Amino acid sequence: MDKTKAMLEENTVKLLFTYSLPVIIGLFVGASYNIVDRIFIGNGGVGDIGMAGIAVAFPVMMTIMAFSNLIGTGATALTSIRLGEENNEEAERVMGNALTLLISVSVVFTVLCWIFLEPVLTAFGANEEILTPAADYTRIILIASIFMIVGSGMNNFLRADGNPKKSMLTLLIGSILNVILAPIFIFGFDWGGMEGAALATAISQLISFIWVMSHFFTGKSVLKIRVKNLRLSGTLVGRIFALGVGSFITQMATSVQMIVLNNVLLKYGGSTAIAGMNVVNAVQTFIMLRFGGVLAWEFSQLLAIISGGLRTIKELKVC
């Protein structure tokens, strides 16, 4: 019996914590990395200007994750329903469409941002002092954006495939590797600084991407990536976007909030104020991890799998 079928017989509360706990651990590690990374950048010869550059570039990264969530969460919810119905062929078709969308969006996003990078960063709160380090950092991040978007989006399917711990390891690998590489690249090379910090992030995301994709090509997964499923279906794309738009809007709202805050801080406090708020945001993220949101998302995903295989909600095993 594969793991997705076992979900139909397992206690629902136990399943909820089995699937949500790894995500919470991964978020904690990621939030911890954000703090450590800023310590390295702030003390790596780039100081408050570098910190301000990261703050201005961060909405770009948030937008990258927003598109990843739009496709990843939407497609995973639909895939989970099909798995619950034991319709693995259709589940694989949804995942194949999602992979094509993730790659397409990442390419278009990278090209557009690369062409209009300086105007975008200026709109996000960069002045002449901040623009150069912010652009240096963002260009490397954009090169790695395909790994970030596809890796993060496909990581959702690890949980749908019945592997929440492996999904957690994706977050741990990226965060821990980044913490190791960041000081090496920032302090160990003459070209370090902002470029070193961005390169550490890019390499970490590449390794995480390889880790995620290897799962679907090694024969260990219920879901398989098949060439025939990469062809887009208008109906599936519409359903994916409909299910993922809530997560996309939430992520984009945070990005817009940061853009507005950067511009206000630039006007009334300059680059130092932006740098200071960047540190505050990193600490705040660590303190205010939204456990409720994590539990709600995991429950909805599990419910999609379970309800796909049940006729009535009364059949759910909650105790």
Side-chain angles (χ1 to χ4, degrees):
M1 180 182 295
D2 62 53
K3 293 180 179 179
T4 54
K5 290 182 180 179
M7 291 179 188
L8 297 176
E9 302 178 1
E10 185 58 86
N11 176 278
T12 306
V13 175
K14 180 180 178 181
L15 276 174
L16 175 60
F17 284 98
T18 298
Y19 275 70
S20 61
L21 187 59
V23 179
I24 292 171
I25 293 173
L27 289 174
F28 254 122
V29 173
S32 300
Y33 149 72
N34 283 333
I35 296 174
V36 174
D37 189 50
R38 281 156 178 74
I39 292 174
F40 291 143
I41 293 173
N43 292 278
V46 290
D48 60 344
I49 298 301
M51 294 292 289
I54 295 290
V56 169
F58 202 65
V60 176
M61 299 179 68
M62 294 289 288
T63 304
I64 289 173
M65 297 311 299
F67 280 107
S68 178
N69 287 340
L70 170 65
I71 300 166
T73 58
T76 304
L78 189 56
T79 298
S80 298
I81 294 171
R82 298 297 175 255
L83 287 173
E85 296 170 344
E86 298 188 17
N87 189 351
N88 286 21
E89 183 177 348
E90 184 65 13
E92 289 181 348
R93 187 162 169 256
V94 174
M95 186 176 72
N97 271 240
L99 179 57
T100 300
L101 284 172
L102 288 166
I103 294 173
S104 301
V105 167
S106 65
V107 171
V108 172
F109 180 85
T110 299
V111 171
L112 290 177
C113 279
W114 192 279
I115 294 173
F116 301 105
L117 182 58
E118 291 193 1
V120 166
L121 293 177
T122 300
F124 286 3
N127 57 14
E128 293 182 2
E129 186 180 30
I130 301 173
L131 184 59
T132 298
D136 292 342
Y137 180 88
T138 307
R139 285 192 183 96
I140 297 176
I141 294 299
L142 287 175
I143 293 173
S145 64
I146 186 170
F147 306 125
M148 299 173 71
I149 291 177
V150 177
S152 178
M154 294 300 293
N155 190 47
N156 290 289
F157 290 97
L158 289 180
R159 295 196 294 278
D161 201 48
N163 291 274
K165 292 182 180 178
K166 196 164 188 177
S167 176
M168 174 191 69
L169 286 175
T170 304
L171 301 175
L172 295 182
I173 289 171
S175 298
I176 294 174
L177 188 59
N178 209 331
V179 170
I180 294 172
L181 293 178
I184 295 175
F185 289 150
I186 291 173
F187 300 110
F189 298 93
D190 293 337
W191 48 263
M194 298 295 288
E195 292 93 337
L199 185 60
T201 298
I203 293 175
S204 301
Q205 292 298 321
L206 171 60
I207 300 301
S208 294
F209 165 81
I210 294 173
W211 165 264
V212 170
M213 298 306 294
S214 67
H215 174 80
F216 299 103
F217 287 103
T218 56
K220 298 178 181 179
S221 62
V222 175
L223 298 169
K224 310 293 183 186
I225 295 175
R226 307 182 194 278
V227 175
K228 66 178 183 179
N229 293 327
L230 298 178
R231 183 177 180 179
L232 291 177
S233 161
T235 301
L236 286 182
V237 171
R239 291 176 180 173
I240 289 170
F241 285 166
L243 289 169
V245 69
S247 179
F248 175 79
I249 292 174
T250 300
Q251 197 82 16
M252 285 302 298
T254 302
S255 181
V256 171
Q257 179 184 3
M258 294 181 66
I259 293 169
V260 173
L261 184 60
N262 284 341
N263 280 278
V264 172
L265 290 170
L266 179 66
K267 181 177 180 179
Y268 295 102
S271 58
T272 301
I274 295 177
M277 184 54 68
N278 189 20
V279 176
V280 171
N281 282 335
V283 176
Q284 178 179 290
T285 300
F286 180 82
I287 295 173
M288 299 181 65
L289 281 175
R290 299 175 182 176
F291 296 106
V294 172
L295 291 173
W297 159 242
E298 292 300 330
F299 184 75
S300 65
Q301 187 172 344
L302 289 171
L303 187 60
I305 295 175
I306 297 169
S307 62
L310 302 176
R311 291 188 177 182
T312 67
I313 197 71
K314 294 180 181 178
E315 295 179 61
L316 285 175
K317 297 180 179 181
V318 295
C319 61

